[in-house]
């Protein structure tokens, strides 16, 4: 079974700082990896999806990278803003099967 | 285009009662999923469907049943609710083009409390 880990569980940074969130997975045979944002009491909003054949994806101030061989993905947020405060989750879809496996998330607080 | 919607948003049940959660999507997606989210445990897949009339078990299927009679709807049933089923339930959908499976879209969630 795929295990997905996100460290740290919580992160607090001052506004304007660049930051990196980590996601690691135990089985490198993946189909794709997706990063989400979740605001308190809300559903999940998709941020970036990386297919297994890709190394990175970018959207605005966000950049996600994927290194399958080491079982790692990072989400880079440039010039953080208070509005970026949320929980960030990664989800991995294995190469076989239809399930997605989620990490427990990193709770980000950006201090004005 | 409403995306993925869930009904109801909140519900309180007594132990042993039954209920059905409804998920609807208007994006013509083939794949639909039911997850539960519990503190410290992340999202866990309960059941999923790869198309109308199909269902399959996920990671934590016990105590739940599902049906996908129409492509746009995915129902999650609790036949005899237990306090351990207190959770936030999320529905999601996704689609496939050729060999590429695209991103999941999530509903707003249903907060269920079983007393």
């Amino acid at each position: 079974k795929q295990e997905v880990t996100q460290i740290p569980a919580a992160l607090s940074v001052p506004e304007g700082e660049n930051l990196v969130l980590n996601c690691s997975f135990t089985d490198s045979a993946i189909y794709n990896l997706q990063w989400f944002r979740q605001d308190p009491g809300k559903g999940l909003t998709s941020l970036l999806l990386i297919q297994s054949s890709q190394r990175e994806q970018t959207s605005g101030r966000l950049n996600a990278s994927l290194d399958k061989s080491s079982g790692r993905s990072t989400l880079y947020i440039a010039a953080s803003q208070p509005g970026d405060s949320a929980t960030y989750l990664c989800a991995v879809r294995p190469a076989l099967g239809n399930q997605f496996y989620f990490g427990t998330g990193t709770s980000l607080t950006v201090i004005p | 285009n409403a995306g993925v919607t869930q009904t109801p948003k909140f519900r309180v049940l007594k132990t042993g009662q039954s209920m059905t959660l409804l998920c609807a999507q208007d994006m013509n997606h083939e794949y639909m999923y039911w997850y539960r989210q519990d503190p410290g445990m992340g999202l866990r897949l309960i059941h999923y469907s790869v198309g109308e009339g199909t269902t399959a078990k996920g990671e934590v299927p016990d105590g739940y049943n599902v049906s996908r009679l129409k492509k746009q709807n995915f129902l999650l049933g609790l036949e005899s609710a237990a306090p351990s089923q207190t959770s936030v339930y999320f529905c999601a959908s996704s689609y496939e083009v050729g060999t590429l499976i695209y991103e999941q879209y999530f509903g707003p969630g249903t907060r269920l409390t079983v007393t």
Side-chain angles (χ1 to χ4, degrees):
Chain A
K1 176 193 162 187
Q2 180 76 264
E3 301 283 346
V4 183
T5 304
Q6 292 185 251
I7 295 174
L11 181 64
S12 183
V13 300
E15 181 178 2
E17 192 163 294
N18 302 326
L19 60 101
V20 173
L21 305 180
N22 297 298
C23 172
S24 60
F25 45 95
T26 53
D27 188 346
S28 61
I30 69 168
Y31 198 93
N32 60 36
L33 184 147
Q34 193 169 358
W35 281 94
F36 294 89
R37 168 191 174 129
Q38 185 176 28
D39 293 287
K42 304 291 186 181
L44 281 69
T45 300
S46 178
L47 297 174
L48 290 164
L49 173 78
I50 308 178
Q51 302 289 355
S52 63
S53 57
Q54 298 173 323
R55 297 281 294 181
E56 65 178 302
Q57 284 282 351
T58 298
S59 176
R61 294 183 294 109
L62 306 179
N63 176 276
S65 68
L66 174 64
D67 183 345
K68 283 195 304 180
S69 61
S70 66
R72 294 182 61 188
S73 176
T74 61
L75 179 66
Y76 175 83
I77 302 177
S80 58
Q81 303 170 357
D84 294 331
S85 297
T87 296
Y88 291 80
L89 299 122
C90 67
V92 172
R93 176 162 172 159
L96 295 176
N98 293 303
Q99 300 196 32
F100 289 84
Y101 293 91
F102 280 79
T104 51
T106 294
S107 177
L108 173 66
T109 302
V110 181
I111 304 166
Chain B
N1 189 334
V4 180
T5 59
Q6 293 183 233
T7 309
K9 289 184 170 51
F10 303 93
R11 186 72 185 268
V12 179
L13 288 178
K14 294 187 188 308
T15 297
Q17 288 185 319
S18 63
M19 77 163 294
T20 300
L21 283 67
L22 171 63
C23 175
Q25 53 95 4
D26 61 2
M27 297 174 284
N28 202 34
H29 287 175
E30 290 292 336
Y31 294 75
M32 296 187 74
Y33 314 83
W34 275 108
Y35 293 91
R36 59 178 289 172
Q37 185 176 38
D38 302 292
M41 302 193 72
L43 276 85
R44 292 179 293 168
L45 184 65
I46 305 171
H47 286 280
Y48 65 96
S49 169
V50 300
E52 182 178 318
T54 74
T55 63
K57 294 180 180 179
E59 188 181 354
V60 289
D62 294 342
Y64 306 94
N65 57 75
V66 288
S67 64
R68 183 106 181 262
L69 298 179
K70 293 182 179 180
K71 186 177 184 179
Q72 64 268 34
N73 295 336
F74 196 29
L75 278 64
L76 178 71
L78 286 73
E79 290 185 345
S80 179
S84 61
Q85 293 178 305
T86 294
S87 188
V88 181
Y89 292 85
F90 288 102
C91 176
S93 69
S94 65
Y95 65 98
E96 180 175 309
V97 177
T99 58
L100 291 180
I101 296 172
Y102 286 88
E103 59 200 301
Q104 294 181 88
Y105 293 82
F106 276 77
T110 295
R111 189 172 295 273
L112 174 65
T113 302
V114 183
T115 62

